[in-house]
Amino acid sequence: MTVVFYDWPYSPFCMKVRAILDYKSISYRTVNPLDARGKLRRRGTGKVPAVEIDGAFVTDSTDIAYALQDRFPEPPLFPPATHERGLSHAIEDWADESLYFLGLYYRWFEVEGRKPVAAVFGNSLKGRLVYRYYLRLILRQLKGQGTLRKSPDHVRRDLERNLDAAESLLTPGPYVLGDMPYLCDFALWGQLNYLSRTPVAGASIRKRGAITAFLERLNGADARS
């Protein structure tokens, strides 16, 4: 099967999909989405991550996970028991929603977190314009979702409570639901990995042993080992 992955390496959702592809040992070709913007708009949401599997175009990290599971069933992304499957779905959704907006806040709004972002887009006029476009777009999203309407102290309390929850879910580990990683683990890993690269959240994460061990376990290693 031919798999093409439209991957923006800084996106937590692309991190999630990339980890799943690697965990399932799926061979794939990576395409820079900046080089394929027209195709992404024509065939999907215009956003990444996106994959093509033998010509079938799939967007949204959760839809991609289900499509990959259908075509590459081993190792499984979903636990066999009904109750655990429900928990996996709920935890994935929490990670992709609650943790995601905390990550955006600490990368795009918090002063120290925002400093390195512009460099990713480069110093050209086009790069600076693209950066300003995404900055405005993301800050609007944060305000509409509600995080940006909170005080910094309030957002910090939200961060600590959510990290405490993640630490509890990963204790005793090694994964959220036991010895095997499932879709909830890859979603949680993507968002925690993104948060860990920001100054404020990264410092908080490093104080939590279960989260730190979990990130190292899935970071660049075969999750089955």
Side-chain angles (χ1 to χ4, degrees):
M1 241 177 241
T2 301
V3 178
V4 180
F5 177 32
Y6 297 84
D7 180 18
W8 180 246
Y10 309 99
S11 160
F13 298 105
C14 288
M15 294 176 192
K16 172 185 173 183
V17 170
R18 194 181 320 121
I20 291 170
L21 288 165
D22 292 342
Y23 174 61
K24 285 181 169 289
S25 299
I26 298 169
S27 178
Y28 60 93
R29 178 170 62 89
T30 299
V31 174
N32 186 331
L34 296 180
D35 298 331
R37 285 175 292 175
K39 185 174 187 179
L40 287 168
R41 285 194 296 269
R42 288 194 306 271
R43 300 196 60 187
T45 62
K47 300 178 181 179
V48 291
V51 298
E52 283 184 86
I53 309 172
D54 276 350
F57 199 85
V58 187
T59 58
D60 182 86
S61 65
T62 300
D63 283 351
I64 290 169
Y66 276 79
L68 292 174
Q69 179 61 31
D70 285 343
R71 293 164 175 83
F72 305 92
E74 296 297 332
L77 291 178
F78 307 106
T82 302
H83 182 71
E84 282 72 20
R85 286 175 72 95
L87 284 175
S88 179
H89 174 80
I91 293 166
E92 182 207 10
D93 194 60
W94 161 69
D96 283 351
E97 298 297 331
S98 295
L99 293 182
Y100 171 62
F101 283 101
L102 287 168
L104 290 186
Y105 179 92
Y106 283 105
R107 174 54 77 205
W108 289 85
F109 179 74
E110 194 274 325
V111 174
E112 292 302 314
R114 188 196 293 181
K115 283 182 179 179
V117 176
V120 171
F121 294 88
N123 291 321
S124 68
L125 176 60
K126 179 181 178 181
R128 293 196 301 271
L129 289 173
V130 171
Y131 164 67
R132 297 303 302 180
Y133 167 78
Y134 279 108
L135 177 61
R136 289 193 300 271
L137 178 65
I138 289 170
L139 293 183
R140 283 200 303 269
Q141 289 177 340
L142 280 168
K143 188 172 182 179
Q145 180 264 346
T147 297
L148 205 54
R149 297 199 295 268
K150 299 178 181 180
S151 69
D153 286 344
H154 191 166
V155 179
R156 183 60 183 265
R157 290 195 299 273
D158 286 346
L159 172 70
E160 298 299 331
R161 284 190 286 256
N162 278 275
L163 292 180
D164 284 345
E167 180 80 357
S168 297
L169 286 169
L170 293 166
T171 303
Y175 302 105
V176 173
L177 296 175
D179 293 332
M180 292 286 293
Y182 295 115
L183 182 53
C184 59
D185 293 283
F186 295 106
L188 187 57
W189 179 83
Q191 301 300 335
L192 289 173
N193 194 33
Y194 186 79
L195 275 164
S196 73
R197 301 179 184 188
T198 68
V200 173
S204 291
I205 284 172
R206 287 189 291 273
K207 298 175 184 177
R208 293 170 166 85
I211 293 179
T212 301
F214 172 73
L215 290 175
E216 292 174 352
R217 194 172 293 118
L218 283 178
N219 190 18
D222 185 344
R224 289 166 290 180
S225 63

